[in-house]
Amino acid sequence: MGSSSTELLINTPLLMADHQQPPDTVVGAVDHKNQPAVRSKHGRWLSASFIIWVEMAERIAYYGISSNLISFLTGKLGQSTAMAAVNINAWSGVACLLPILGAVIADSFVGKFYTIIASSIIYILGLGLLTLSAMLPSLSCIDGGPGSSAHLQTIIFFVALYLVAIGQGGHKPCVQAFGADQFDGEDPSESKAKSSFFNWWYFGVCVGGLLGIGVLSYVQDNLSWGLGFGIPCIIMALSLVIFLLGITTYRYTMKVEGESPFSRIGRVFVAAARNWKATSPMVGDNEHAHRIKLHDGSRQFKFLDKALLVTEISKSEVEEAKAVLRLFPIWATTLVFAIVFSQPPTFFTKQGITLDRSIGSNFAIPAAALQSFIGICIVIVLPIYDRILVPVFRNITGNSSGISMLQRIGTGLFISSICMVVAAITEKKRLETASRYGLIDMPNVTIPMSIWWLLPQYALFGISEAFTMVGLQEFFYDQVPNELRSVGLSLYLSIFGIGGLLSSVLVSLINKATSGGESWFSNNLNRAHLDYFYWLLAGLSSIGLGLFVYFAKSYIYNKNKARL
């Protein structure tokens, strides 16, 4: 590669004006030699395919360790069910919040390309230490005291786990944004391809997750944890090699000279706060009031118009700040979905452990492997949605994406509410079966109820995810200023970070409140009440859906996107 990518430089010559630029070049993008990117040679599906393969490999690695963590924590490390769930939710929450920091570093300092490389190296290091932590107990005796192998194992395990979180923090927002950057949103055909990219991106994510859950959970349960963590480390190293193979095909977004978008937006909020007592910015014939009158076209967050009383602030900067602020009601009302999102790798999996998982006489399905049906449903739904439903809806609505991004998200939120109702009913049946066969106080005895009873809740969750997750990704990429697209995707990821932490807090509070009797999350799952917890989540999901619809109806899209 050249001395550095233009994406990373501040003092890079601007591309020629549109009327001087060759017709086959892409405005605002360059190749690896800092020359204008040629549309026929750089970007589009060729480059995006490299990036989708990279993400698929990363998801194999991530789900290969995360999907079965509750078994490792409650088994190898001897933690209680509630404590293990809290630790997993806290880790996944931090892993989904760190992308905000990674995105800021990428968008303001080193660029997406180098952030991806650096975060991949950290990711590989974390996976390597995780493998070591799984192998440590075999190196010496285990007594669990300070300085023992088990104690050292625990320390290394959590250090490694959070190194993986740091690596994901740089990887997740930048890889997807870098992939979407391979399409020119100003070109009609590439704009449609960009919308399709988000579908096929998530298709790759789910195929990777499917392989990680289905194969690696079996390795961990039946072979060894060291091998189960070591394979993701190797796969992540291969993903870095795949990413580097595409260097010459990528489009690199030019870094525009001037003030940071964070500074511009922050300055608007500060100026509006300082002028909050202004009774009306339209009073008088002074220059500032005249400027405000000329540019006043925004119907929302008019208090930010008071920032225009500061001469240095333009209306475009105020509208940029409004665009960011409009995202937060949508962000907040999808947090309950993120809490629901935390359940399959924790309590859904613990339910499965208690059920009959046998196929034939010699094979038992790993409980964590049932999560693969989430990916299977998504892999089935996304091509149908992209190739069949979108064209049908496009003819009806006139929207190039078929339905609006917010309509897609709302559909997924509704299905997730139904999913929790089904989960509560199924858990009630599991408890009744345990009682009928006198197994209430025999938590280690398999309940004579097939694990396939859990399949409907996994399937519904997969369909919900196909709508909600892809919709959120496209929404938070599309509705932020161009210079903040990594940050936009990090805001989407932060939904699941906050959701994971909220799930941890909710479980801890309920566990404490119900510990006087039989905890909802008792280690003896036959005396627990996960059904009550699922009904609670179903209720919260319904409230969240109602609030989402309220705010979505009044949302004003950037770039004249269709309204809900």
Side-chain angles (χ1 to χ4, degrees), residues 222-243:
N222 295 279
L223 298 177
S224 75
W225 284 99
L227 187 60
F229 289 154
I231 293 174
C233 183
I234 296 170
I235 290 174
M236 192 63 202
L238 289 175
S239 78
L240 178 57
V241 173
I242 293 171
F243 180 69

Side-chain angles (χ1 to χ4, degrees), residues 267-268 270-284 286-293 302-315 318:
R267 189 174 59 182
V268 170
V270 170
R274 287 177 176 173
N275 293 294
W276 70 279
K277 289 185 178 180
T279 55
S280 173
M282 302 299 297
V283 174
N286 61 67
E287 180 183 354
H288 303 317
H290 180 63
R291 287 167 60 235
I292 294 169
K293 186 174 182 178
K302 290 185 178 180
F303 66 90
L304 287 179
D305 288 334
K306 296 177 182 181
L308 290 170
L309 294 171
V310 178
T311 307
E312 294 78 11
I313 295 178
S314 67
K315 182 64 178 178
V318 172

Side-chain angles (χ1 to χ4, degrees), residues 288-350:
H288 303 317
H290 180 63
R291 287 167 60 235
I292 294 169
K293 186 174 182 178
L294 284 176
H295 294 289
D296 186 19
S298 175
R299 305 199 307 270
Q300 292 181 320
F301 308 121
K302 290 185 178 180
F303 66 90
L304 287 179
D305 288 334
K306 296 177 182 181
L308 290 170
L309 294 171
V310 178
T311 307
E312 294 78 11
I313 295 178
S314 67
K315 182 64 178 178
S316 63
E317 291 175 330
V318 172
E319 292 306 315
E320 191 175 52
K322 289 182 178 182
V324 173
L325 192 58
R326 277 196 293 268
L327 300 175
F328 282 93
I330 304 301
W331 180 92
T333 53
T334 53
L335 287 175
V336 178
F337 175 80
I339 297 176
V340 173
F341 186 81
S342 300
Q343 306 317 310
T346 53
F347 293 127
F348 282 17
T349 300
K350 287 297 289 184

Side-chain angles (χ1 to χ4, degrees), residues 404-445:
S404 72
M405 292 174 278
L406 291 178
Q407 286 173 330
R408 183 170 185 171
I409 296 167
T411 302
L413 296 180
F414 172 75
I415 296 172
S416 74
S417 300
I418 302 301
C419 170
M420 296 316 300
V421 171
V422 171
I425 293 172
T426 303
E427 173 62 8
K428 180 67 173 176
K429 178 175 177 58
R430 190 192 70 82
L431 292 174
E432 289 175 348
T433 303
S435 177
R436 186 183 313 122
Y437 286 88
L439 301 176
I440 293 293
D441 294 313
M442 303 173 69
N444 296 322
V445 175

Side-chain angles (χ1 to χ4, degrees), residues 77-101:
L77 298 189
Q79 294 187 348
S80 67
T81 299
M83 178 59 69
V86 167
N87 280 331
I88 292 170
N89 290 335
W91 169 71
S92 63
V94 170
C96 290
L97 285 175
L98 284 174
I100 296 177
L101 177 60

Side-chain angles (χ1 to χ4, degrees), residues 500-532:
L501 295 176
L502 288 175
S503 182
S504 292
V505 171
L506 191 59
V507 170
S508 296
L509 290 176
I510 293 174
N511 189 51
K512 184 176 181 180
T514 59
S515 60
E518 195 67 58
S519 170
W520 285 12
F521 311 110
S522 171
N523 289 337
N524 178 358
L525 218 60
N526 297 337
R527 286 196 172 275
H529 281 290
L530 291 183
D531 54 334
Y532 294 172

